[in-house]
Amino acid sequence: MKFTVDSSTLTDSVNWVSRSLSTRPIMTALLGIVIDANSDVTLSASDLETSAKSSFNAEVKEKGRVLVPGRLLAEISRALPNKPVSFNLDGTRVLVTAGSAKFTLPTLPINEYPNLPTLPETSGAIASDLFAAAVNQVAVAAGRDDSLPTLTGIHVDISRDTITLAATDRYRLAVREINWNPNNPDLATTALLRARTLADAAKTIASTKNISFAIAPVTANERLVGFSTESKSMTSRQLDGTFPPYRHLLPNESIATAVIEVSALLDSVRRVALVTDKTVPLRLKFSNNTLHLEAGAGDEAQATEEIQISYTGEPIDIAFNPTFLADGLNALGTTYVNIAFTGSNKPAVLSGKNKIDGEIDSSYRYLLMPMRYAS
Amino acid sequence: MPEHSTILHVDMDAFFASVSELDYPQYKGKALVVGAGARGVVLSANYEARRFGIRAAMPVARAQRMAPNAIFIPPNHERYSEVSRKVMEIFLEFTPYVEPLSLDEAFLDVTGSKRLFGTGREIAELIRKRVFEQEKITCSVGIASTKFIAKLASGRCKPNGVLEIAPDRVLTFLHPLPVSEIWGVGPKTNEELQRLGLRTVADIANTPLETLKRALGESAGVSLYELAWARDYREVVPDAPEKSISAAETFSYDLEDQDEIFRELLRLTERASHRLRKKELLCKTISIKVRFSDFSNLTRSKTLPLGISSTHEIYDISKELYRSLKLAGSRIRLLGVALENLTDQTGAVYQLELGEREVGWRQAQDAVDRAIERFGRDSVRPARLVDGSEIEET
């Protein structure tokens, strides 16, 4: 095997596949990145849950396929000078040269490397920046507790030309609807993917234009989900378990609504929450176009603040986990937030508004459960 | 110079066994062992039984081999708690500074009581007299100016004795003792100390502090050195808040069946969490302990951001902890659930869950607790704990 490629292409490619490297693999071969030099060069890696591939054009002088230590290749590629990089297999070692920098990498036995799953047939295409933003908006609400694996996922619900992404950690629920172009206009299916995997992939993919989304049919042996751009692809196994039904949780009516400038509210929440630890509630009193925020009680540190808001409905006192509230506000991506209340011990729904008197953008909804004092 | 403190360590003699002797007068003078089932451990043995070498924490089966004619009776925790409460009340007649360590021992700071009741030794004798007259059981009392020495002293005058270690006699008393007598020296530290050739307390006292720190770690090294010079600054803390509430059970046969294990876990969770709620506490840390048939142990714990108290919330976590052990086909001898990191329930906040009903588990839990208080432990139970034979066909 012998080829030459420019360093930025190599780094980009290695970064993509190294996301799928396992840190504690069940077989040592999975610590490696496969370099397959053919007409193009393809890199691949897998941790059995996900697999990633990336191809690039290179000046290939000798074809060949080797397995090299993945972390080491990732670190080397990031540190290389901005010069053409050549790979040269010499016996059982790979020589990597860029300018005056020379590295020798040992190879791992490639015959022990498992066959990676093939990408399911493409189901449709979606604008990558839209997809990345939507994933980030719902990922904030995903659970981080690996002992409840279903809740660490993002639920993907495809119905014709609409994809609904949803995540919940039991205390909040984020739901985002986006449009896409399915190959089959009647496609209806669902998938459950680890939020971390999806957010990671979305981040890198956002720089390209369109991505293809591939989801294995319900009848397939293994319900893989795949993403691909022209040069990169990724497959992921779905999480086990059933995502809790959530649509009935979205309230249809409200008893009061507040419209507040997101940046002003975020600043106040951050300031008032300074006096508490992350799990102590922030108490909010909405009335008469003012919002009174307070935290802390008794002998402990306390903070209060009052801001002007636009408010309709009966006054309401409600308490939230300040981190959860800030997460929702940050995820909106609009200038104003519309908060719809259903009661002091019932969920509040955050959604965005671009103008104070404009339409509510209900393509994104962040449902937040309040905190309650023990009676 | 301030006056020396006068600390009493009062330890009931073979407490469970002594109480049981009162309940079964026909066994008086015979070897009596409190410990349930062939697979349980000895909880207490009277002095006749101890002559055969029977000690607390020994498997019952072994004790039975050592003394085939001894009488083995199951424990009666309710009785022990009742007697213990009465004994603690006697202590409180002499000083408000009573720190119970368990049902059968307590520290008493009687420094301020001496004008009323006499010297430490006189108070000790008064307490012993009162306890014996009222409850017909004996206790031993160690007297010293620190908790550490008082506890060592009571252990050296058992049964039915009093030992006072005057401040100027402390080192003479302490230094010849084996290192294992020092508070906090368990089997592991002991082994490490033996390896260093440190056998008596005097050996430790004469070892440079730096050497101890290197061998045992910073804090253990310092505390050992301080104790070796009888420097113990801990005060008697009356009514120290509880640090943990736990429930554990050794089964009469090893459990293998997953459903049965979860049922036992639920039973234990219910027992511990009921006590938690009764004390109006919440726990943030839940831990489980599993002992296998070969006596090896595993524990796992989880800490939550907010305290919880309901049986079903705690059970969800203990179940999850058990699953995380990924045990398949293991034979389990003992299960335990411990609730730690306890906080007061007043002013506590709950993060509500999506879809949670306003009247839900929490209210149901309160009703269950009230029923248990009135009608007893078996009145209301999770359905999974109801034995099939109890269900009437209709």
Side-chain angles (χ1 to χ4, degrees), chain A residues 145 147 170 369 371-372 374, chain B residues 302 320 348 350-351 353-354:
Chain A
D145 187 348
S147 56
R170 288 190 292 177
M369 280 306 273
M371 295 180 90
R372 188 167 78 171
Chain B
K302 176 165 179 169
E320 183 191 293
Y350 298 99
Q351 170 66 58
E353 288 183 20
L354 285 160

Side-chain angles (χ1 to χ4, degrees), chain B residues 96-237:
Chain B
Y97 299 103
V98 176
E99 180 182 339
L101 293 178
S102 61
L103 286 180
D104 62 350
E105 54 177 323
F107 283 117
L108 282 65
D109 185 335
V110 296
T111 316
S113 314
K114 288 193 277 190
R115 284 173 169 237
L116 274 172
F117 299 105
T119 63
R121 181 175 281 273
E122 283 164 342
I123 295 173
E125 289 299 356
L126 281 171
I127 288 175
R128 282 164 35 77
K129 189 158 169 270
R130 286 275 291 117
V131 170
F132 187 75
E133 277 172 2
Q134 191 183 309
E135 301 300 329
K136 304 285 179 258
I137 54 175
T138 62
C139 57
S140 303
V141 184
I143 309 164
S145 58
T146 60
K147 286 163 104 174
F148 172 49
I149 302 296
K151 188 168 160 91
L152 281 179
S154 72
R156 312 249 132 208
C157 61
K158 280 184 143 309
N160 202 7
V162 175
L163 178 59
E164 179 173 13
I165 308 294
D168 59 347
R169 299 263 313 142
V170 165
L171 295 183
T172 332
F173 165 73
L174 177 63
H175 279 180
L177 298 179
V179 289
S180 57
E181 295 278 342
I182 299 186
W183 223 338
V185 176
K188 269 209 176 126
T189 314
N190 191 23
E191 210 173 279
E192 180 66 22
L193 292 169
Q194 298 297 325
R195 202 182 56 76
L196 294 171
L198 305 178
R199 297 204 159 73
T200 64
V201 181
D203 293 341
I204 293 178
N206 294 317
T207 302
L209 178 56
E210 287 309 314
T211 312
L212 290 173
K213 282 196 208 167
R214 259 199 310 281
L216 305 165
E218 179 76 27
S219 72
V222 172
S223 92
L224 209 57
Y225 185 80
E226 292 285 303
L227 288 177
W229 285 105
R231 289 193 284 260
D232 175 15
Y233 307 103
R234 290 167 305 170
E235 288 179 5
V236 173
V237 186

Side-chain angles (χ1 to χ4, degrees), chain A residues 145 147-148 168 170-173 249 279 281 321 324 345-347 367 369-374, chain B residues 284 302 305-306 316 320 345-359 362-363:
Chain A
D145 187 348
S147 56
L148 296 168
T168 180
R170 288 190 292 177
Y171 311 118
R172 54 224 171 119
L173 163 71
L249 296 172
T279 55
N321 173 318
F324 292 176
N345 291 321
K346 290 180 177 172
L367 228 80
M369 280 306 273
M371 295 180 90
R372 188 167 78 171
Y373 286 85
Chain B
K284 281 190 184 172
K302 176 165 179 169
L306 292 173
D316 277 352
E320 183 191 293
Q345 152 191 314
T346 43
V349 283
Y350 298 99
Q351 170 66 58
L352 295 172
E353 288 183 20
L354 285 160
E356 182 171 332
R357 279 177 288 178
E358 283 200 68
V359 176
R362 271 173 205 131
Q363 286 69 26

